[in-house]
Amino acid sequence: QSRCRSSARACPTLSSQLATMGRMHSKGKGISKSALPYRRTPPSWLKTNPTEVIEQICKFARKGMTPSQCGVVLRDSHGVAQVAHLTGSKILRILKKNGLAPDVPEDLYMLIKKAVSVRKHLERFRKDKDAKFRLILIESRIHRVARYYKTVKALPPTWKYESATAASLVA
């Protein structure tokens, strides 16, 4: 007797295989991703203690690194696989606690940065229709992400993306 014979609604395993959410502005429906280790304790060979890691995160943030860049440096150079497993709180929460969190969330910041670079490209190459189309997609993504951050109160309700002032926001 095999399960999942009749319909996707009747069987949760089949429905999870069939109904993967697609990308926002492309055709992909990929579900591959890396898996975190089951154990949430730091490895026994790791000799750094949580206070040192917190100090390093704050030092990186003062240098101007984003939270994800801090995590990459800690992973690659210092052997800290997951900051949350070692310290008990995530990098962004550590930065907020120390008053070093960025005022614009990182993913929104990167989208704005991309839109500014595409707009700069369009100033030089006015006939580039594909870049113009991609800019429209990027800016619609910016508006969608900004709307989300306003609802979770990570951005003030009066915050608004304007292409004219975006370059000064990124620089």
Side-chain angles (χ1 to χ4, degrees):
Q1 283 235 28
S2 74
R3 293 176 30 197
C4 306
R5 190 164 287 253
S6 59
S7 70
R9 203 175 327 141
C11 181
T13 56
L14 186 63
S15 66
S16 66
Q17 291 170 355
L18 293 176
T20 54
M21 184 176 280
R23 299 280 152 257
M24 198 182 300
H25 294 127
S26 63
K27 286 189 276 188
K29 289 188 179 170
I31 57 167
S32 70
K33 53 187 162 239
S34 60
L36 291 178
Y38 181 71
R39 290 192 316 159
R40 290 198 176 99
T41 55
S44 57
W45 48 262
L46 187 65
K47 300 298 177 207
T48 54
N49 55 339
T51 53
E52 291 175 14
V53 173
I54 291 171
E55 288 171 13
Q56 287 208 309
I57 289 170
C58 293
K59 187 177 81 176
F60 293 146
R62 284 189 196 98
K63 279 185 181 176
M65 294 170 82
T66 63
S68 60
Q69 287 173 330
C70 295
V72 167
V73 170
L74 286 170
R75 183 196 65 201
D76 295 343
S77 303
H78 302 282
V80 179
Q82 288 289 314
V83 172
H85 294 175
L86 184 64
T87 61
S89 57
K90 299 178 180 183
I91 295 175
L92 191 61
R93 289 185 184 158
I94 291 169
L95 292 177
K96 280 181 184 172
K97 199 172 175 183
N98 292 302
L100 295 167
D103 44 346
V104 176
E106 186 179 353
D107 55 347
L108 182 61
Y109 177 82
M110 291 303 172
L111 282 172
I112 293 170
K113 193 173 172 183
K114 187 185 281 190
V116 166
S117 69
V118 171
R119 196 170 285 282
K120 186 178 170 187
H121 167 82
L122 276 172
E123 286 173 9
R124 287 181 56 213
F125 305 101
R126 292 206 180 273
K127 287 193 169 185
D128 192 350
K129 301 294 183 196
D130 186 58
K132 187 177 180 183
F133 175 70
R134 297 294 163 200
L135 179 66
I136 291 167
L137 295 183
I138 293 166
E139 288 186 340
S140 67
R141 234 176 294 157
I142 289 170
H143 293 301
R144 183 180 293 193
V145 171
R147 188 172 63 230
Y148 164 74
Y149 280 124
K150 284 179 192 175
T151 59
V152 296
K153 297 192 174 34
L155 282 176
T158 57
W159 191 91
K160 192 171 172 100
Y161 170 77
E162 290 162 357
S163 57
T165 59
S168 63
L169 191 69
V170 171

